[in-house]
Amino acid sequence: MAEQADKAHMASGELGDLVAGFRGRVVVVSWLVVGLVAGLIVWHGASAAAAIVGAIVGAAVAAGLFVLGFRRSRQLAVQVYSGGLAYRAKGTQETWAWDDVQEFFVLAEEREIHGAPHGVADAIFSTLLEALVKLLLPKAVKFTVKYRICRPGHQRTFDSLISGQARLGATVEHFVTQAQLPKALASFGSGEAVRFGDLWLGPDGLTYASAKRQRFLPLSALTGVSVTRYDVKVHQAGHRLAWLIAKRSSVPNAAVLAGLAEHIVAARDANDGNEAAGQLPAGSGTQS
């Protein structure tokens, strides 16, 4: 314990000011379900006395699993600092400086609505059910969301076992973007293409090079990149529909891509405005 406290103190000194802290979360429902199942197994087909024993066994199993889960949750903690984060779990203590984080992912994965269909009727029913679910349910229900940071040779994923994981993900993304955006701007300014998974943004334009297809959007036609928790949309001049919609899970540092595109478009528009002003004939200004 003293060694962990020393490491936490060292992390706080190396990583700057503490911004926010996050603890593990106990998933109570799973423990109650396991306890209920255990109780039903003992009680099934037995007398009233056995039913009481079954209820006691179920309660004991649920309580024991809850205590175990509570102890594990108390050992899990993420401290976010201005210069990085400190992660602690059972047997694990590590620090991440924001400059060391190369990629940040929002892993939004659709929940499985049904299993593999058996027969034609089941396939038709499954297809209709999935379409209905996608139409009616909000994305927050249809998707599970995790957050991942990567550096050479290592990665760390934050999921629902951490209380406040959405706020943790947004906080981490904010600091990673602050650290990575100046680097992306510098690379672009030196004439290099900056990679975001299958997307490459360079001086000539935006290239989408997936395993199935390749597309190219000239820089003059790029109007911006918008990012949600689930999608990344590339917008094209003169078109209402997005030029490209990519899954958020496939685009690392999506907020950096959006920020880089915003700077590029603003600089391009300002340069075009200056050139247009310079081409005005003499005496063409407004006269009173």
Side-chain angles (χ1 to χ4, degrees):
M1 293 296 293
E3 183 180 354
Q4 289 184 348
D6 290 341
K7 288 182 178 180
H9 179 72
M10 290 175 59
S12 64
E14 295 172 355
L15 300 178
D17 299 327
L18 179 64
V19 176
F22 301 86
R23 306 288 300 189
R25 179 169 59 188
V26 182
V27 184
V28 179
V29 175
S30 60
W31 307 142
L32 295 179
V33 170
V34 172
L36 178 62
V37 171
L40 289 175
I41 291 174
V42 176
W43 170 77
H44 180 67
S47 62
I52 296 176
V53 173
I56 294 174
V57 170
V61 171
L65 291 174
F66 178 82
V67 171
L68 177 62
F70 179 79
R71 289 184 60 187
R72 293 186 64 180
S73 70
R74 299 305 297 175
Q75 295 173 336
L76 175 61
V78 181
Q79 304 292 329
V80 178
Y81 298 89
S82 58
L85 65 82
Y87 175 87
R88 176 174 61 84
K90 185 178 180 180
T92 302
Q93 179 82 31
E94 58 191 41
T95 58
W96 292 68
W98 300 129
D99 285 336
D100 295 336
V101 179
Q102 291 188 334
E103 294 180 324
F104 172 86
F105 285 91
V106 176
L107 304 176
E109 301 173 353
E110 288 192 75
R111 301 179 188 272
E112 288 290 338
I113 306 301
H114 55 79
H118 301 283
V120 177
D122 189 20
I124 296 175
F125 174 77
S126 299
T127 302
L128 293 176
L129 177 61
E130 185 173 358
L132 182 63
V133 168
K134 288 184 177 181
L135 178 65
L136 298 179
L137 291 182
K139 285 187 176 181
V141 177
K142 292 185 294 186
F143 285 81
T144 59
V145 179
K146 303 176 184 178
Y147 305 91
R148 177 174 294 166
I149 51 178
C150 304
R151 64 188 179 193
H154 189 48
Q155 64 183 26
R156 176 62 59 190
T157 302
F158 308 114
D159 55 21
S160 59
L161 292 179
I162 298 177
S163 181
Q165 63 149 340
R167 186 166 66 93
L168 170 59
T171 304
V172 171
E173 182 175 33
H174 167 74
F175 282 111
V176 171
T177 302
Q178 277 191 334
Q180 292 295 328
L181 183 54
K183 299 177 183 179
L185 286 168
S187 296
F188 182 87
S190 63
E192 300 177 13
V194 186
R195 184 180 182 182
F196 302 89
D198 291 333
L199 291 168
W200 295 76
L201 183 54
D204 295 330
L206 183 67
T207 300
Y208 175 64
S210 69
K212 296 181 178 180
R213 61 186 304 188
Q214 182 167 330
R215 301 174 63 187
F216 177 75
L217 180 68
L219 202 63
S220 59
L222 177 67
T223 59
V225 175
S226 60
V227 178
T228 70
R229 181 185 277 187
Y230 311 101
D231 301 307
V232 176
K233 297 182 180 181
V234 178
H235 302 283
Q236 180 181 7
H239 293 75
R240 295 183 60 184
L241 297 178
W243 177 78
L244 174 71
I245 301 178
K247 291 184 178 180
R248 182 70 191 267
S249 303
S250 66
V251 183
N253 300 335
V256 178
L257 170 61
L260 178 59
E262 181 181 358
H263 280 77
I264 293 171
V265 171
R268 182 198 65 200
D269 292 346
N271 184 59
D272 291 345
N274 292 334
E275 290 182 356
Q279 292 174 0
L280 288 175
S284 62
T286 303
Q287 295 182 356
S288 57

